[in-house]
C-alpha cells in the first residue's frame, strides 16, 4: 500500500525557483511517468520525493503522512539512478544486500532476499562479480535488484534506460513493465523520452519549466492534449502545427483558413471563438493522407521510408517540414507535388494562448 | 607508444640524469659517513671504509630516543591531520557552499606565509601553555602545518567520487558516518593512503619547528642531525653518519611505499 500526494510542492535554489508549485496524486500500484524536456525539473522533483533534495515549500505525503522532514531511508522508497550508482568496491550480492546489512538483517535472511531478487532479474551467475565486470544492461539490473531487495513502498527511477543502447532499451522497458506487474508496487519513473512514457505509464505527468502541464493516461494525453506544449511533446513524429484564422464557429465545429487559403472544419467546441481570431491548427501526421482533391497543396521535400510506414516531409502552408504519414507501399517520391487532406475529427485547435479547444467527440479508447 | 626511438632514448637519458642528480647528494652523504674525518674533507671516491663515525655518533647521542620521537610525532601529526581533514574535505566536496572555493584557497594561502613569521607568537603560546619540548605540542604544530595540503588532496580525491553513489547509500539507510565509513573510505583508500604517506614524510623532514620548539625531551631526528653540526668546525663524517641514520628509516619506508604513493597521486588521472 502506498499512495503519494503532493500539495503545492516547491523547490528553489537560492532565488531561482525550479519547481513552481506542483499538485499531484499518485494511487497505490500506479505506474506514473514524469516526462518533459531536459531541465524541466523532473529529476529535482523525483529527488525531493526521495528525500535527497530538501523541499522548499508545500507538503509531500506518503500514505497520508507528511514526510517533508523524514530522511530518505525512512520514507520506504528505493531509487534507481541514471548512472546506476553501484558501489564499485562491492560485489553484486553485496551491492544488493547493502541496505539489509545496514538494517542489521541476519546474514541468512539477507542471502535469501538477495537470491530471490537475483532470480527475478536473472543475475544469479553474476552475484560474485564486481560492477566493473558487468555489461551496461547487467549493471542496470543490479541497480534495480538493489531496489527490489529492500521491498520498498515506492520505486523511483531516474531515466534508467538512457545509458543503454536502443535494443537493450526496448527490452529493459518491457522488463520494468513486467516487474511492475509482478511486484505490484507504486512506481514513479522519470524520462525525457515520450515513447517510454507512452508505453509504460498508467499516468503521465507532463512537466515544463517546473510546472505540470497536464496529467492523464497516455491516450488521454495523445487524443486530448490540454495545450500546444503537450500536443507537441506527446506523439512521434510530432504533431504539425499551422497558423490559421477562424472563418466561422458553430455547433458543428470551427472552420479555419490556412495560409494558402485552404479551409478545414475542425470538430471542436467553438467556445468564445469569433471569425477572424488567430488560432493554431494541430494535425497529427497520421491524421493526414494523400488526396488528389485535398485542400492542402505542397511539394514533397524528403521521404523517410521506415518500412511499414513512410513519412513525407512537405513544403506547404508556409512550412517546409509538414509531416504526413502514409503507407510503406506509397510510391510518392521527393520533389513530387501532392495534395493532402486532413481528418477534421482528428484535428486539434489551439487558441492564441496555446490552450486546446475541447474536442466534440471523445476518442473511443479515452472514455 | 608510437614515439620514435630517438625520442625514447632522449627521454630515458633525461630521466636518468635527473634521477642521478637528485640521488647524488644522498649517495655522497652515505659514502662520507663511512670515511674517516680526514678522508671526509677530501673528495676522494676510494678510501678505507670505517664505522668509526657511527660508533662516535652512537656514543654521543641516544639515537633511539630521537628516532622514537620522530616516529611518534610524525604518526601523531598525520593521524591528527587526517582526523581533522576527512570531515572537512567530505563537507567541502559533497556539501559545498558558495564559500567553499574561497575557504580552500585561503587554507592553501596560509602555506605561503613563512613559518618564521609566526615563530614568536607560537613560541609564546607554547611557553604559556607548557607545550615547549613536548611531543604533543609538536604533533599539534605538524598537524596544523600539513592540514591545508591534506585537506586539498583529500578534497580532490573525494571530488572524483560520484555524488550518486553516496546518495544511493543514503537511500539504503546509511548515516553520514556510514556513508564515509562504508563507501567513501574504501573508494578513496589509495588517495587517503598516499595523502597520509606524504604527510608522514613532510613531518619526518620538518626541521624549523622541531629545532625551535624542542630541546631534549621531544626532539626528533632533525634535531639529532643539527646537534652534530657544531660551530667549532664541521665533522663531515660524523654529520653524514648522523644524517644517514636520520633519513634511513624514511628512505626505506618511502622505497616500500612508493608504488602506493604514485598510485594514489595519479588516482584521479587514471580513473
Ligand atoms: N543544485 C542546483 N543548483 C541550482 N540549480 C539547479 C541545481 N540542480 C538543478 N538545478 C536546476 O534545476 C532545473 C531542473 O533540473 P533537473 O531536475 O535536473 O531537470 P531534468 O531532470 O528535468 O532534466 C535545471 O534548470 C537545473 O539547472
Ligand atoms: Mg534529470
Amino acid at each position: 500500500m502506498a499512495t503519494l500526494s503532493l500539495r503545492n510542492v516547491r523547490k528553489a535554489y537560492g532565488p531561482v525557483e525550479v519547481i513552481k508549485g506542483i499538485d499531484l496524486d499518485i494511487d497505490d500500484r500506479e505506474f506514473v511517468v514524469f516526462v518533459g524536456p531536459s531541465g524541466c525539473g523532473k529529476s529535482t522533483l523525483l529527488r525531493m520525493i526521495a528525500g535527497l533534495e530538501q523541499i522548499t515549500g508545500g507538503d509531500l505525503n506518503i500514505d497520508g503522512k507528511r514526510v517533508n522532514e523524514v530522511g530518505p531511508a525512512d520514507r520506504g522508497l528505493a531509487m534507481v539512478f541514471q548512472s546506476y550508482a553501484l558501489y564499485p568496491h562491492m560485489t553484486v550480492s553485496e551491492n544488493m544486500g547493502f541496505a539489509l546489512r545496514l538494517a542489521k538483517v541476519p546474514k541468512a535472511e539477507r542471502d535469501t532476499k538477495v537470491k530471490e531478487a537475483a532470480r527475478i532479474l536473472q543475475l544469479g551467475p553474476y552475484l560474485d562479480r564486481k560492477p566493473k565486470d558487468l555489461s551496461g544492461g547487467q549493471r542496470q539490473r543490479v541497480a534495480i535488484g538493489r531496489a527490489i531487495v529492500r521491498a520498498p513502498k515506492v520505486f523511483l527511477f531516474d531515466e534508467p534506460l538512457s545509458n543503454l543502447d536502443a535494443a537493450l532499451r526496448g527490452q529493459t522497458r518491457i522488463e520494468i513493465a513486467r516487474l511492475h506487474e509482478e511486484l505490484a508496487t507504486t512506481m514513479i519513473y522519470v524520462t525525457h523520452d515520450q515513447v517510454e512514457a507512452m508505453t509504460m505509464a498508467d499516468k503521465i505527468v507532463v512537466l515544463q519549466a517546473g510546472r505540470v502541464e497536464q496529467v492523464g493516461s497516455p491516450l488521454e494525453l495523445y487524443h486530448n492534449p490540454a495545450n500546444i506544449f503537450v500536443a507537441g511533446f506527446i506523439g512521434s513524429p510530432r504533431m504539425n502545427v499551422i497558423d490559421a484564422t477562424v472563418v466561422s464557429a458553430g455547433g458543428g465545429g470551427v472552420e479555419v483558413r490556412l495560409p494558402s487559403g485552404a479551409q478545414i472544419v475542425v470538430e471542436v467546441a467553438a467556445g468564445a471563438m469569433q471569425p477572424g481570431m488567430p488560432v493554431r491548427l494541430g494535425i497529427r501526421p497520421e491524421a493526414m493522407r494523400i488526396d488528389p482533391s485535398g485542400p492542402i497543396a505542397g511539394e514533397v521535400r524528403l521521404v523517410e521510408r521506415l518500412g511499414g510506414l513512410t513519412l513525407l516531409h512537405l513544403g506547404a502552408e508556409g512550412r517546409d517540414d509538414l509531416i504526413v504519414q502514409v503507407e510503406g507501399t506509397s510510391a510518392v517520391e521527393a520533389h513530387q507535388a501532392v495534395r493532402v487532406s486532413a481528418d477534421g475529427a482528428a484535428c486539434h485547435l489551439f487558441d492564441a494562448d496555446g490552450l486546446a479547444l475541447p474536442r466534440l467527440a471523445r476518442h473511443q479508447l479515452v472514455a | 607508444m608510437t614515439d620514435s626511438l630517438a625520442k625514447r632514448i632522449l627521454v630515458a637519458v633525461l630521466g636518468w640524469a635527473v634521477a642521478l642528480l637528485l640521488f647524488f647528494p644522498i649517495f655522497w652523504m652515505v659514502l662520507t659517513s663511512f670515511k674517516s674525518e680526514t678522508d671526509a674533507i677530501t673528495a676522494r671516491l676510494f678510501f678505507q671504509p670505517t664505522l668509526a663515525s657511527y660508533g662516535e655518533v652512537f656514543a654521543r647521542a641516544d639515537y633511539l630516543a630521537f628516532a622514537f620521537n620522530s616516529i611518534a610525532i610524525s604518526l601523531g601529526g598525520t593521524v591528527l591531520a587526517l582526523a581533522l581533514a576527512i570531515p572537512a574535505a567530505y563537507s567541502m566536496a559533497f556539501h559545498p557552499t558558495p564559500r567553499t572555493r574561497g575557504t580552500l584557497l585561503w587554507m592553501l594561502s596560509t602555506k605561503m606565509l613563512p613559518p618564521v613569521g609566526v615563530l614568536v607568537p607560537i613560541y609564546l603560546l607554547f611557553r604559556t601553555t607548557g607545550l615547549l619540548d613536548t611531543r604533543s605540542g609538536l604533533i599539534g604544530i605538524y598537524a596544523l602545518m600539513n592540514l591545508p595540503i591534506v585537506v586539498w588532496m583529500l578534497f580532490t580525491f573525494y571530488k572524483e567520487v560520484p555524488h550518486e553513489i553516496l546518495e544511493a547509500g543514503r537511500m539504503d539507510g546509511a548515516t553520514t558516518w556510514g556513508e564515509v565509513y562504508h563507501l567513501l573510505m574504501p573508494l578513496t583508500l589509495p588517495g587517503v593512503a598516499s595523502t597520509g604517506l606524504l604527510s608522514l614524510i613532510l613531518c619526518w623532514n620538518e626541521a624549523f619547528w622541531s629545532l625551535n620548539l624542542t630541546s631534549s625531551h621531544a626532539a626528533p631526528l632533525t634535531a639529532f642531525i643539527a646537534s652534530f653540526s657544531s660551530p667549532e668546525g664541521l665533522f663531515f663524517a660524523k654529520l653524514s653518519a648522523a644524517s644517514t641514520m636520520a633519513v634511513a628509516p624514511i628512505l626505506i619506508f618511502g622505497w616500500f611505499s612508493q608504488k602506493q604513493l604514485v598510485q594514489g597521486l595519479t588516482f584521479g588521472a587514471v580513473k
Side-chain angles (χ1 to χ4, degrees):
Chain A
M1 248 318 274
T3 63
L4 270 85
S5 78
L6 284 73
R7 291 286 167 266
N8 195 22
V9 166
R10 293 169 180 279
K11 174 74 190 179
Y13 290 109
V16 187
E17 195 160 58
V18 297
I19 299 291
K20 298 166 182 162
I22 291 202
D23 289 288
L24 183 65
D25 286 291
I26 296 173
D27 293 334
D28 188 32
R29 297 181 198 182
E30 202 164 29
F31 198 118
V32 177
V33 175
F34 295 170
V35 69
S38 182
C40 69
K42 307 177 295 289
S43 297
T44 306
L45 186 58
L46 194 74
R47 292 165 52 81
M48 284 158 78
I49 294 173
L52 294 172
E53 217 55 83
Q54 220 150 41
I55 298 174
T56 311
D59 297 319
L60 169 66
N61 304 302
I62 298 179
D63 287 335
K65 269 208 297 289
R66 186 173 187 274
V67 294
N68 286 40
E69 274 78 43
V70 176
D74 301 324
R75 293 186 186 187
L77 320 176
M79 179 142 163
V80 176
F81 291 85
Q82 182 169 3
S83 61
Y84 313 147
L86 301 181
Y87 311 127
H89 58 300
M90 298 186 194
T91 63
V92 167
S93 71
E94 284 166 346
N95 260 282
M96 295 205 284
F98 185 62
L100 302 179
R101 195 175 117 211
L102 289 179
K104 305 219 159 49
V105 173
K107 178 140 178 36
E109 188 183 338
R110 221 156 70 201
D111 284 346
T112 317
K113 289 189 172 163
V114 168
K115 289 234 172 65
E116 170 62 10
R119 184 193 62 76
I120 296 176
L121 295 164
Q122 291 137 36
L123 281 170
Y126 311 110
L127 281 176
D128 293 323
R129 290 208 198 165
K130 293 271 177 68
K132 68 171 173 8
D133 300 322
L134 298 176
S135 72
Q138 290 163 344
R139 284 178 206 180
Q140 164 72 75
R141 294 215 296 280
V142 176
I144 296 175
R146 196 167 59 180
I148 291 179
V149 164
R150 294 181 48 207
K153 286 194 273 192
V154 182
F155 281 87
L156 309 174
F157 295 89
D158 190 356
E159 310 224 10
L161 308 187
S162 56
N163 292 331
L164 301 180
D165 62 47
L168 212 48
R169 203 150 52 219
Q171 188 188 329
T172 313
R173 208 166 68 199
I174 294 164
E175 269 182 47
I176 292 178
R178 186 178 55 91
L179 208 62
H180 177 238
E181 188 126 301
E182 182 165 347
L183 301 175
T185 35
T186 311
M187 292 190 174
I188 306 178
Y189 185 104
V190 161
T191 179
H192 65 270
D193 179 353
Q194 60 92 24
V195 176
E196 279 174 36
M198 291 294 286
T199 51
M200 302 173 82
D202 294 322
K203 183 194 264 174
I204 296 181
V205 179
V206 182
L207 293 170
Q208 190 199 196
R211 282 186 218 283
V212 174
E213 292 287 344
Q214 192 174 1
V215 179
S217 70
L219 287 183
E220 168 74 22
L221 264 51
Y222 183 81
H223 290 294
N224 300 301
N227 55 47
I228 202 154
F229 175 81
V230 176
F233 196 81
I234 299 289
S236 172
R238 290 171 69 91
M239 181 186 284
N240 300 298
V241 177
I242 304 169
D243 288 326
T245 315
V246 176
V247 176
S248 68
V254 178
E255 182 165 29
V256 297
R257 186 170 50 240
L258 305 184
S260 67
Q263 301 202 348
I264 291 180
V265 178
V266 185
E267 294 172 23
V268 295
M273 283 292 128
Q274 298 287 334
M277 284 175 107
V279 288
R280 273 174 284 179
L281 173 68
I283 316 175
R284 294 214 182 268
E286 62 271 30
M288 286 197 278
R289 58 192 173 81
I290 303 280
D291 179 353
S293 60
I296 301 171
E299 190 209 51
V300 179
R301 296 277 160 83
L302 181 74
V303 180
E304 279 186 288
R305 296 197 178 274
L306 305 179
L309 298 171
T310 295
L311 301 179
L312 308 176
H313 295 245
L314 298 193
E317 302 301 345
R319 302 270 311 269
D320 60 0
D321 57 350
L322 215 62
I323 300 178
V324 179
Q325 178 177 315
V326 295
E327 290 298 312
T329 51
S330 165
V332 177
E333 282 174 32
H335 312 301
Q336 192 177 329
V338 292
R339 295 193 78 86
V340 294
S341 62
D343 175 5
C347 286
H348 303 257
L349 210 56
F350 304 94
D351 67 16
D353 297 327
L355 296 179
L357 302 179
R359 312 278 290 267
L360 286 179
R362 307 264 309 163
H363 191 274
Q364 62 204 23
L365 288 179
V366 191
Chain B
M1 303 304 129
T2 57
D3 289 350
S4 68
L5 186 66
K7 191 170 171 193
R8 269 164 46 205
I9 289 174
L10 186 73
V11 168
V13 168
L14 268 177
W16 277 98
V18 170
L20 286 176
L21 205 66
L22 292 176
F23 178 68
F24 184 75
I26 295 169
F27 167 73
W28 197 251
M29 175 187 79
V30 174
L31 209 64
T32 308
S33 74
F34 290 105
K35 293 177 178 177
S36 64
E37 287 296 351
T38 36
D39 282 338
I41 316 175
T42 65
R44 71 177 63 166
L45 207 52
F46 300 100
F47 57 91
Q48 184 67 42
T50 165
L51 285 173
S53 300
Y54 284 94
E56 272 187 63
V57 167
F58 265 114
R60 234 178 75 183
D62 185 356
Y63 171 77
L64 288 180
F66 285 98
F68 174 77
N69 281 340
S70 268
I71 294 170
I73 294 168
S74 300
L75 276 178
T78 297
V79 169
L80 184 59
L82 283 175
L84 293 173
I86 287 174
Y90 168 84
S91 141
M92 288 197 260
F94 296 106
H95 304 283
T97 70
R99 273 192 288 258
T100 297
R101 208 77 224 166
T103 309
L104 273 168
L105 283 174
W106 167 77
M107 286 189 72
L108 203 62
S109 75
T110 62
K111 290 299 287 179
M112 323 235 164
L113 180 79
V116 70
V118 289
L119 175 59
V120 172
I122 295 274
Y123 186 87
L124 293 178
L125 276 173
F126 267 50
R127 199 182 59 186
T128 316
T129 50
L131 285 172
L132 279 179
D133 202 19
T134 61
R135 283 190 284 266
S136 41
L138 224 47
I139 286 174
I141 280 286
Y142 281 11
L144 292 175
M145 170 184 87
N146 287 337
L147 198 58
I149 294 172
V150 174
V151 170
W152 257 94
M153 286 182 63
L154 290 181
F155 174 78
T156 48
F157 293 131
Y158 288 178
K159 265 283 181 225
E160 298 279 322
V161 176
H163 283 216
E164 292 195 336
I165 290 182
L166 297 192
E167 287 175 345
R170 218 173 303 156
M171 294 293 298
D172 272 347
T175 57
T176 302
W177 170 241
E179 276 174 48
V180 174
Y181 178 76
H182 290 293
L183 304 175
L184 196 55
M185 291 280 231
L187 286 176
T188 56
L189 201 59
V192 176
S194 64
T195 308
L197 291 177
L198 189 71
S199 165
L200 274 180
I201 292 168
L202 290 175
C203 288
W204 190 277
N205 294 338
E206 203 288 330
F208 177 78
W209 293 109
S210 60
L211 290 180
N212 283 298
L213 298 176
T214 65
S215 55
S216 57
H217 172 67
L221 284 170
T222 43
F224 169 79
I225 301 178
S227 72
F228 283 91
S229 73
S230 49
E232 66 270 18
L234 284 172
F235 294 96
F236 282 121
K238 274 197 283 298
L239 190 57
S240 296
S243 301
T244 304
M245 285 159 66
V247 300
I250 201 76
L251 268 184
I252 294 167
F253 176 73
W255 180 264
F256 283 111
S257 61
Q258 63 174 340
K259 193 168 155 226
Q260 176 65 60
L261 197 62
V262 170
Q263 194 187 22
L265 292 176
T266 53
F267 172 68
V270 297
K271 217 182 101 192

